[in-house]
């Protein structure tokens, strides 16, 4: 298809409108709702390359049905103009006309999606030092979803030339994505901690959308990319065959590629949720300065973390002796939603999305790391909640010797933290030093196990 044909098709088709429908609402959705999940934390859509690709793919929940419907509208063009019989009588092969039609729309949709990714990519460049190409297959498959959906819509519009076809196909595509994301594509599971949750199954991967991005280290496996590509190629082949088919028998035969693609894809796609969304090992690799380590995705923050981290380790060793942790490390473990976090006695594990870490700098960061070492938050993965701020400020005050000072980012007001902690603090300081150390160790053990009443362990079981 030369440039002259492309310009003519752009003037005669809905391809420019299809590109605008993909790009403009997507950008408006992302930028106008600037307090939503995709703007916050280390997994924000402009924070790292993989979250960028994953968040833009998740928008296909709404964009893919629109692409299918606009494709169907495009497929009605010859029928609306009453030129179908005239065009079929010309010596030009039918596949030439179909190629010009699908090629124009495909280029426009792919270009619009590329601009969407580019808009986020410009900001990602300024927010991270970690660059890689592992995110690219996620975005390429997303563009292929839009192209294949529009081609299938064109074929359906040509095969069923009714004004009701575009809205009906749009609704069917939306129902399909909703069912894959909410019910048919989910399997109920019970975590090791006894919480009931649902996980995606193999069928859900036929949907264009993805799970909500919770961690910047999570990506899609290669088998998912391969299976989805096979499914989409079959979908596009069926759409193109329907555009060319002139009889009902040929149209029925044209359904073979999409059915074969779906069956083959289900054989290729992984059945284990742990092999669908996997940890990006390269991104999770640790970068260290002495005993303080972060993942590659956060290597730009290491310089600001190293000093406070080393100071926190010194203070902890002076207070706890041999029981003190020996390293500070960003927590790279990716656990199922609803499961309890796993903490370590030897290592101060922290997360840059933790409120007390993100709210702290300099000396405050040292205190936040001590709090995380002594009383880490026991909130199930993916759930919201507040930390045990009273126990944390007691632990920090005891380790540093500076007394009670409120912590930021705990979800509790300073006055509330101090009011709850002060009676326990006074009782603790009235005890002999050996007994104080025993109570502090008991509190820390309870906090690390996520099984006991932390403040109760600190008071020795006494009522407060």
């Amino acid at each position: 298809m030369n440039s002259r044909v492309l310009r003519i098709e752009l003037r005669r088709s809905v391809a420019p409108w299809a590109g605008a429908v993909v790009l403009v609402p997507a950008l408006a959705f992302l930028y106008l709702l600037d307090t939503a999940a995709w703007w916050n934390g280390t997994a924000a859509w402009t924070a790292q390359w993989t979250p960028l690709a994953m968040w833009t793919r998740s928008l296909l929940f709404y964009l893919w049905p629109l692409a299918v419907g606009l494709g169907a509208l495009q497929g009605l063009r010859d029928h609306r103009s009453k030129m179908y019989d005239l065009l079929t009588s010309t010596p030009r092969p039918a596949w030439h006309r179909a190629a010009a039609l699908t090629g124009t729309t495909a280029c426009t949709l792919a270009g619009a999606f590329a601009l969407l990714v580019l808009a986020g990519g410009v900001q990602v460049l300024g927010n991270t030092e970690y660059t890689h190409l592992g995110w690219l297959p996620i975005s390429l498959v997303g563009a292929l979803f839009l192209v294949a959906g529009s081609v299938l819509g064109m074929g359906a519009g040509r095969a069923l030339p009714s004004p009701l076809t575009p809205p009906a196909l749009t609704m069917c595509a939306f129902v399909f994505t909703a069912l894959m994301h909410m019910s048919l594509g989910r399997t109920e599971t019970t975590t090791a901690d006894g919480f009931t949750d649902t996980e995606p199954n193999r069928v859900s991967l036929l949907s264009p959308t993805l799970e909500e991005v919770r961690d910047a280290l999570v990506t899609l496996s290669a088998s998912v990319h391969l299976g989805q590509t096979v499914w989409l190629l079959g979908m596009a082949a069926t759409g193109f065959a329907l555009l060319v088919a002139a009889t009902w028998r040929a149209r029925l035969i044209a359904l073979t590629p999409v059915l074969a693609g779906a069956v083959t894809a289900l054989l290729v796609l992984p059945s284990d949720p742990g092999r669908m969304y996997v940890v990006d090992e390269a991104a999770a690799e640790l970068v260290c300065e002495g005993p303080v380590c972060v993942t590659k995705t956060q290597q730009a923050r290491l310089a600001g973390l190293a000093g406070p981290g080393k100071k926190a380790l010194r203070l902890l060793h002076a207070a706890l002796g041999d029981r003190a942790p020996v390293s500070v490390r960003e927590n790279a473990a990716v656990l199922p939603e609803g499961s309890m976090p796993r903490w370590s006695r030897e290592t101060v594990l922290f997360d840059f999305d933790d409120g007390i870490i993100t709210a702290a700098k300099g000396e405050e960061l040292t205190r936040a790391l001590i709090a995380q070492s002594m009383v880490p938050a026991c909130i199930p993965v993916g759930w919201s909640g507040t930390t045990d701020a009273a126990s944390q400020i007691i632990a920090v005050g005891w380790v540093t010797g500076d007394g009670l000072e409120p912590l930021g980012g705990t979800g509790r007001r300073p006055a509330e933290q101090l009011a709850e902690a002060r009676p326990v603090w006074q009782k603790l300081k009235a005890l002999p030093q050996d007994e104080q150390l025993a109570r502090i160790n008991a509190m820390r053990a309870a906090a690390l196990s996520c099984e006991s009443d932390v403040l109760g362990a600190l008071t020795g079981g006494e009522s407060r």
Side-chain angles (χ1 to χ4, degrees), residues 13-15 17-19 21-22 60-77 80 105 109 145-158 160 162-175 177 235:
S13 70
V14 299
W17 293 104
V21 165
V22 166
L60 296 187
F61 187 96
Y62 310 100
L63 300 179
W64 185 70
L66 292 175
V68 174
L70 288 168
L73 183 63
Q74 178 73 1
L76 292 176
R77 185 181 67 182
R80 293 198 312 270
T105 305
L109 287 173
F145 258 110
L146 290 173
V147 170
S150 68
V151 174
L152 181 65
M154 290 180 210
R158 176 68 60 83
L160 301 170
S162 166
L164 298 178
T165 299
L169 275 180
T170 302
M171 185 56 64
C172 288
F174 181 77
V175 169
T177 56
M235 184 189 299

Side-chain angles (χ1 to χ4, degrees), residues 405-419:
E405 293 183 26
L407 287 167
T410 63
R412 302 282 299 277
R413 289 181 296 180
E416 292 178 349
Q417 296 179 40
L418 294 172

Side-chain angles (χ1 to χ4, degrees), residues 325-348:
V326 296
S327 62
V328 176
R329 191 178 76 225
E330 181 185 356
N331 192 357
V334 179
L335 301 176
E337 186 169 1
S339 60
M340 295 300 291
R342 305 286 188 263
W343 304 117
S344 169
R345 291 179 181 274
E346 293 77 22
T347 303
V348 181

